[in-house]
Amino acid sequence: MDIEEALSLHLSKFTTAPFLFIGSGFSKRYLDTENWEGLINKFCELVPQGFSYYRSTSNGKWDVAAQMIAEDFHQIWWNDERYLESRNEFQEYATNKYSALKIEISKYLKNKEYEYGVNEQNDTELNCLKEAVIDGIITTNWDTLLEQIFSKDDMTTYIGQKKLLFSNNLGVNEIYKIHGCSTEPDSLVLTHDDYEEFTSRNAYLASKLLTIFVEHPVIFIGYSISDANIIQILESITACLDSSNIGNLKDRLIFVERARGANDFFQESTMTINGLTIPITKVVTDHFDKVYRPLTTIKRKFSTKKLRQMKNEMYELVKHNDPKGKIKVINFMEGEENNDKVEFVVGFGMDHFAEQIEGIIESSDKLKPSKIRHSSLGYTTYSRKDLLEEIIADNDTYSYDYDELLKSTLPEKLKTDQRLPVNRFIRFSSIKDMNDLDYKIIKKKNLKLNDFLTKQQQREKSALSFDWQFNSVREVYDGYNNLEEKFFYIAILNESKIDLTELREILLENLHLVDSTDLIGTNLRRLFRIYDYLAFGRLIIIRSRKYTLKKYCPQKFKGIFSEKHLSIRG
């Protein structure tokens, strides 16, 4: 069994999505940032004494060395003309003698961004990670790589220990930056004093993390098992447990380590914390997409956006006697007639009470039909394959409610699957005002044929020296030996040579490959976008002597007007 299959099987034991616990090795891998020692060495350049001085004086304790550098740099930063620009921009963040160093470190890290196209393996890994189904991330990193990977719509970020402790965090799609973030320089846990303060609050942090650790699988990425930060946190958590309930952590702690040239392996192991033996799982590989990919296959009954909304509303209901009228709890068995103030309905066994729920909607002046999910399944997140299969369905066949897809499903899916086609759903929906659509859908709607192609495809398509013998979709498909090339070269056919009937037949024939993670899958999914655009997305202008019509899907108007009355522009 390979590690991808083994991890998928392992995660299937749990009913909750994983949390990721991300450390400095993650940033080293994708941003090439320094470890603790390397960072100290780099910022010794700001002070007169060299690295060897601080290393020896601190006895190799890097938080102590950081505090010494910060104290020595304090006066330099406030008086040296080299830092005038920094002072003017960031002096509001300078609250103590350690702030200057934190500001310069933050400036350095804020400029670190992941660059696609440099490392193909890393590109593949991060593309997989973007599609991962997780409940949240805990990290000790200061950089903003996670914010680059996951947008604000995908993840809510809590910076620092205090915000994690005192905010209404919901445990769904959240990033907890427990050692601070470079966007808030004074939040960095950098110096010995910072770590002392962090440790003094550890009992409170541990109580928050303990809930996560006993309810979710936790995957550690970018840490060594012997990492001091992890040991300290696990010590705090296990202090709340004893030998009789340490089993609550069984199978939940998963450590990912680099193979460094060795073979991949997946194995059960143990570590000892506070005299307790904790069962852990070790995954060793140099290809982290094998770790991220199983996370993309986890199924949710509700979208993360809907889960956050429901948990927030429930939290308010429990926390306050009157949650501002947001939720109405109704006992159908006893009956209730005053429904005019109901704003949000939560139903369990909705089919059984469908008539009562419909009655609430009709009698409420605030509820709208869009606020209820009337189905035995509730909210359903359709798979990529479901949606792509619908794109090539017959034009008079609709398997789903397209209005609902556009309002609820696609905005969520496009966060992690950014290349889904949308034109068919817009074309056959009842939504007339494009401003009513999510901005991500509008952005996809505005794409043109050339936008679907890679740079290489664009170059080959436009190259004057590109002398090609193929003149149709079927000729290209039959003329190449492997599927990767077939799909690649169909995409660069001139629009006039793409027969939609031929293209649809090929898409139907290869539908089972749409979830492939290799270039076959990538190139095939591009053809679905091209088909969707050509069949449903092109804007044409139909001119006659009396009027001009702008319409989508030109096939609908073929033969209606004579050729002399038609002027069609893509």
Side-chain angles (χ1 to χ4, degrees):
M1 183 184 296
D2 64 24
I3 62 169
E4 191 171 332
E5 183 181 352
L7 183 57
S8 292
L9 184 62
H10 187 84
L11 293 175
S12 68
K13 300 176 184 178
F14 306 102
T15 58
T16 52
F19 260 74
L20 305 183
F21 210 129
I22 287 181
S24 59
F26 182 85
S27 297
K28 172 66 176 174
R29 186 179 187 88
Y30 301 115
L31 293 181
D32 197 27
T33 52
E34 297 82 0
N35 60 14
W36 244 125
E37 181 179 351
L39 193 70
I40 295 299
N41 193 356
K42 177 177 180 61
F43 281 89
C44 280
E45 299 171 0
L46 306 181
V47 287
Q49 292 87 352
F51 172 69
S52 297
Y53 168 80
Y54 291 104
R55 180 181 57 188
S56 59
T57 307
S58 66
N59 293 319
K61 296 180 179 178
W62 304 122
D63 57 329
V64 175
Q67 184 155 321
M68 294 170 60
I69 295 170
E71 290 172 345
D72 292 346
F73 183 58
H74 175 70
Q75 289 293 334
I76 297 173
W77 191 81
W78 279 105
N79 295 293
D80 197 310
E81 287 298 309
R82 287 177 298 171
Y83 304 105
L84 177 61
E85 185 177 337
S86 281
R87 291 196 298 273
N88 291 337
E89 185 174 356
F90 297 105
Q91 59 181 300
E92 63 180 288
Y93 295 104
T95 60
N96 57 53
K97 60 185 177 181
Y98 309 132
S99 297
L101 180 59
K102 293 181 182 181
I103 288 169
E104 295 306 315
I105 290 175
S106 295
K107 286 175 59 180
Y108 166 68
L109 291 176
K110 282 168 68 176
N111 289 326
K112 287 282 188 177
E113 293 188 358
Y114 182 76
E115 184 178 352
Y116 280 92
V118 175
N119 185 309
E120 184 177 349
Q121 174 61 32
N122 285 350
D123 290 351
T124 299
E125 291 176 4
L126 292 187
N127 285 333
C128 284
L129 182 57
K130 286 180 180 180
E131 298 185 14
V133 177
I134 55 177
D135 271 350
I137 299 172
I138 308 162
T139 183
T140 52
N141 294 351
W142 300 326
D143 57 73
T144 58
L145 175 57
L146 292 172
E147 288 86 340
Q148 295 168 40
I149 297 171
F150 302 101
S151 71
K152 290 182 180 180
D153 289 335
D154 295 329
M155 291 280 186
T156 300
T157 301
Y158 295 92
I159 297 173
Q161 214 175 12
K162 292 179 183 178
K163 289 187 179 178
L164 174 58
L165 296 178
F166 301 114
S167 298
N168 174 23
N169 50 295
L170 302 173
V172 179
N173 274 36
E174 296 173 333
I175 299 174
Y176 307 140
K177 308 193 83 168
I178 59 176
H179 278 188
C181 180
S182 56
T183 59
E184 297 180 13
D186 217 33
S187 69
L188 303 192
V189 178
L190 170 67
T191 67
H192 179 70
D193 286 355
D194 293 331
Y195 274 93
E196 287 288 306
E197 182 180 359
F198 182 88
T199 302
S200 70
R201 297 177 182 272
N202 244 7
Y204 301 100
L205 178 63
S207 67
K208 286 275 189 180
L209 296 183
L210 179 60
T211 302
I212 293 172
F213 275 58
V214 298
E215 292 182 353
H216 300 264
V218 181
I219 303 175
F220 295 83
I221 302 171
Y223 290 107
S224 163
I225 291 180
S226 59
D227 186 280
N229 289 319
I230 294 301
I231 296 296
Q232 184 186 55
I233 288 169
L234 290 178
E235 284 177 345
S236 300
I237 290 173
T238 54
C240 305
L241 304 172
D242 55 33
S243 56
S244 64
N245 54 25
I246 196 71
N248 289 330
L249 295 180
K250 179 175 174 56
D251 296 329
R252 295 187 181 274
L253 305 186
I254 303 165
F255 284 83
V256 178
E257 297 182 351
R258 288 187 61 188
R260 300 184 186 279
N263 293 330
D264 295 348
F265 67 85
F266 182 99
Q267 70 176 30
E268 304 302 319
S269 185
T270 60
M271 63 188 302
T272 302
I273 303 290
N274 287 338
L276 297 173
T277 300
I278 302 175
I280 65 171
T281 301
K282 291 178 67 175
V283 180
V284 179
T285 182
D286 276 332
H287 296 274
F288 281 24
D289 53 310
K290 296 179 181 180
V291 175
Y292 303 148
R293 194 169 291 116
L295 304 181
T296 68
T297 63
I298 297 172
K299 303 296 183 184
R300 287 191 191 274
K301 193 168 185 178
F302 299 94
S303 70
T304 52
K305 182 177 181 180
K306 183 60 63 178
L307 278 173
R308 284 188 62 83
Q309 180 187 2
M310 292 167 63
K311 290 191 75 170
N312 184 58
E313 300 289 4
M314 290 298 185
Y315 175 86
E316 291 296 324
L317 175 65
V318 174
K319 182 179 178 182
H320 304 293
N321 290 330
D322 177 16
K324 301 178 181 179
K326 290 184 178 179
I327 296 178
K328 187 73 170 181
V329 180
I330 298 171
N331 186 335
F332 288 118
M333 303 306 294
E334 296 180 3
E336 186 155 353
E337 296 180 358
N338 185 19
N339 300 318
D340 60 319
K341 301 300 182 183
V342 178
E343 293 184 3
F344 191 89
V345 174
V346 178
F348 300 91
M350 290 180 68
D351 285 344
H352 182 65
F353 296 118
E355 292 182 5
Q356 292 96 323
I357 292 172
E358 288 170 356
I360 294 171
I361 295 173
E362 290 176 1
S363 60
S364 171
D365 59 4
K366 294 187 177 181
L367 272 178
K368 297 180 180 179
S370 62
K371 293 188 179 182
I372 184 170
R373 302 283 177 264
H374 181 184
S375 165
S376 59
L377 290 176
Y379 183 94
T380 303
T381 301
Y382 302 106
S383 69
R384 172 196 283 159
K385 185 178 179 182
D386 291 334
L387 297 173
L388 294 183
E389 187 173 13
E390 187 71 9
I391 292 296
I392 54 176
D394 292 336
N395 284 0
D396 57 352
T397 301
Y398 313 115
S399 302
Y400 310 114
D401 181 340
Y402 285 7
D403 289 7
E404 190 61 32
L405 280 177
L406 290 166
K407 291 176 182 177
S408 300
T409 303
L410 282 171
E412 290 297 314
K413 293 293 290 183
L414 285 170
K415 292 177 183 178
T416 55
D417 197 345
Q418 299 173 11
R419 292 177 172 81
L420 284 173
V422 300
N423 289 297
R424 177 187 171 100
F425 305 124
I426 295 172
R427 175 69 184 84
F428 295 121
S429 75
S430 64
I431 298 172
K432 303 304 180 186
D433 187 349
M434 293 297 103
N435 292 323
D436 291 339
L437 296 175
D438 185 277
Y439 75 95
K440 294 187 290 297
I441 295 176
I442 296 173
K443 183 178 179 180
K444 300 303 174 190
K445 174 62 188 169
N446 290 334
L447 294 177
K448 304 302 182 212
L449 189 60
N450 212 44
D451 297 326
F452 306 139
L453 306 182
T454 65
K455 296 295 184 185
Q456 180 184 351
Q457 285 174 316
Q458 291 173 12
R459 286 194 299 269
E460 292 205 30
K461 187 173 183 177
S462 62
L464 294 176
S465 60
F466 188 64
D467 185 16
W468 210 18
Q469 70 270 35
F470 300 123
N471 292 297
S472 73
V473 172
R474 182 55 66 178
E475 285 183 16
V476 175
Y477 190 78
D478 294 338
Y480 283 90
N481 294 324
N482 63 70
L483 289 173
E484 179 184 324
E485 289 181 326
K486 291 174 188 282
F487 300 151
F488 179 92
Y489 284 107
I490 288 174
I492 65 174
L493 272 169
N494 286 328
E495 182 178 337
S496 60
K497 296 181 179 180
I498 298 179
D499 181 278
L500 292 181
T501 300
E502 289 184 352
L503 180 56
R504 180 173 179 268
E505 290 173 353
I506 289 169
L507 295 179
L508 282 168
E509 182 181 337
N510 293 282
L511 182 64
H512 63 287
L513 298 173
V514 294
D515 287 321
S516 298
T517 56
D518 53 16
L519 285 175
I520 291 176
T522 300
N523 291 340
L524 175 61
R525 291 189 291 273
R526 181 179 295 111
L527 293 184
F528 274 88
R529 299 171 75 198
I530 290 172
Y531 178 88
D532 178 66
Y533 170 76
L534 293 178
F536 309 112
R538 287 183 297 183
L539 177 64
I540 67 168
I541 300 176
I542 301 177
R543 301 183 188 277
S544 76
R545 293 170 182 159
K546 295 182 178 179
Y547 51 81
T548 298
L549 296 176
K550 290 185 178 181
K551 291 290 182 182
Y552 293 98
C553 194
Q555 294 87 337
K556 304 266 301 176
F557 300 92
K558 187 175 181 180
I560 296 178
F561 301 102
S562 63
E563 289 188 7
K564 67 179 181 179
H565 289 157
L566 289 179
S567 171
I568 301 180
R569 299 187 302 189

